[in-house]
């Protein structure tokens, strides 16, 4: 099937065509890469934009329960929802996103939802690039909301933040008054902190945790461009679908504000630039791993190792040689 026909099918909402296209962008084969680039460029115009929501939280905090309940609420409002995961399946405690059959079972049966199992490559940079392209495919396929999930291993939040319009941090009620060791950098990325499991016996602890984080967010005051009150901390119960409508209202309010202020377009433009530069960086690294660059590196490396050349001089020489090739 030619590219134009595949692009047409994806745009028409054909799920198998979409799934196949995601498999294509995940492939490492050079001929697949060429096809993927052709398909992505065929899908660029006319532009369709989804609301891309990044969601991070440690294993067990309730991400799949939340995504299922939240996703069903959105499809219930007539929206089309796609769910993607950034982390390689090896980095997840519970296996792949659909490895466990009960994960998001109801949402996966919903005709207005599309759930993509997590990619299996081990290198985060590579996975992020594929996820970004999968997001673009979902946008072209007409999804209104794309949820991008990460378990928060190391730098993956930063990657998800670069893929998202909104970033949610899901937390569990804390036992004491500690802030669960959440890194400041991650808190700074969050637009909404959702303290999950605010139900039953856990509710009082959840409400205390919300208050603690609300205080911490006030102190951070890191984004003067955001509307008053943001970033926010609020309680939810994914299990009881409580607080989800309120959380969605906040997301929509923040989105509307950012659009009106021109921040939305600026953020998307910055992200496009980031991913362009990242692709170039990855391409340069890949080129270094190929001959003749690999041989040049090895040769200069040997000379550095035996003391013949200083590391910085060898690096300068390597870069000079690269400039020529
Ligand atoms: P994930 O690893 O972050 O995807 O977490 P899961 O969604 O698999 O949930 C982990 C556990 O927490 C499961 O036993 C869920 O039933 C439970 N859980 C998830 N959300 C809630 C909630 O809102 N309230 C309560 N009480 N339990 C929850």
């Amino acid at each position: 099937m030619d590219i134009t026909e595949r692009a047409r099918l994806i745009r028409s909402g054909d799920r198998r065509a979409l799934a196949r296209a995601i498999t294509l962008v995940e492939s490492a084969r050079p001929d697949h890469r060429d096809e993927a680039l052709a398909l992505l460029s065929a899908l660029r115009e006319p532009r369709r934009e989804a609301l891309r929501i990044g969601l991070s939280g440690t294993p067990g905090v309730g991400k799949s329960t939340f995504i299922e309940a939240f996703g069903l609420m959105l499809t219930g409002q007539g929206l089309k929802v796609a769910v993607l995961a950034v982390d390689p399946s090896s980095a997840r405690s519970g296996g792949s996103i659909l490895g466990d059959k009960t994960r998001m079972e109801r949402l996966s049966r919903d005709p207005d939802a599309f759930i993509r199992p997590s990619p299996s490559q081990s290198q985060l940079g590579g996975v992020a690039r594929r996820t970004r392209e999968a997001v673009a495919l979902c946008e072209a396929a007409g999804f209104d909301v794309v949820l991008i999930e990460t378990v928060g291993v190391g730098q993956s939040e930063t990657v998800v933040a670069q893929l998202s319009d909104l970033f949610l941090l899901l937390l569990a009620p804390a036992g004491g008054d500690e802030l669960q060791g959440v890194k400041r950098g991650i808190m700074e990325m969050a637009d909404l902190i959702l303290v999950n499991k605010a139900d039953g016996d856990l509710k009082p602890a959840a409400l205390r945790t919300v208050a603690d984080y609300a205080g911490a967010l006030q102190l951070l005051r890191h984004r003067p461009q955001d509307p008053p009150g943001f970033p926010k901390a609020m309680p939810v119960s994914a299990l009881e679908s409580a607080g989800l409508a309120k959380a969605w209202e906040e997301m929509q309010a923040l989105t509307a504000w950012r659009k009106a202020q021109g921040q939305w377009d600026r953020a998307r433009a910055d992200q496009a630039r980031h991913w362009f530069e990242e692709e170039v960086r990855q391409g340069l690294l890949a080129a270094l791993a190929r001959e003749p660059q690999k041989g040049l590196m090895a040769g200069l490396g040997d000379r550095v190792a035996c003391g013949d050349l200083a590391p910085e001089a060898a690096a300068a020489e390597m870069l000079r040689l690269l400039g020529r090739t």
Side-chain angles (χ1 to χ4, degrees), residues 68-69 72 102-111 113 115:
E68 170 146 281
L72 287 169
T102 60
R103 238 184 153 237
M104 306 182 209
E105 201 189 345
R106 284 171 58 213
L107 188 62
S108 63
R109 284 200 309 262
D110 189 324
I115 303 182

Side-chain angles (χ1 to χ4, degrees), residues 27 74 157 164:
S27 168
L74 297 182
E157 277 93 355
S164 320

Side-chain angles (χ1 to χ4, degrees), residues 282-305:
Q282 294 292 333
L284 286 175
L285 287 177
L288 282 179
R290 283 196 300 268
E291 296 298 351
Q293 292 88 334
K294 195 177 166 191
L296 289 172
M297 282 282 273
L300 285 165
D302 289 345
R303 290 177 62 195
V304 170

Side-chain angles (χ1 to χ4, degrees), residues 57-66 92-94 100 103-104 149 151 170 196-200 202 236-241:
T58 49
V61 75
K63 287 181 303 301
S64 23
T65 313
F66 175 84
R92 307 179 60 87
S93 68
D100 173 357
R103 238 184 153 237
M104 306 182 209
E149 179 194 5
V151 291
L170 205 62
N196 191 32
K197 309 195 183 184
D199 50 49
L202 288 168
V236 294
S237 166
L239 206 59
E240 297 181 350
S241 294

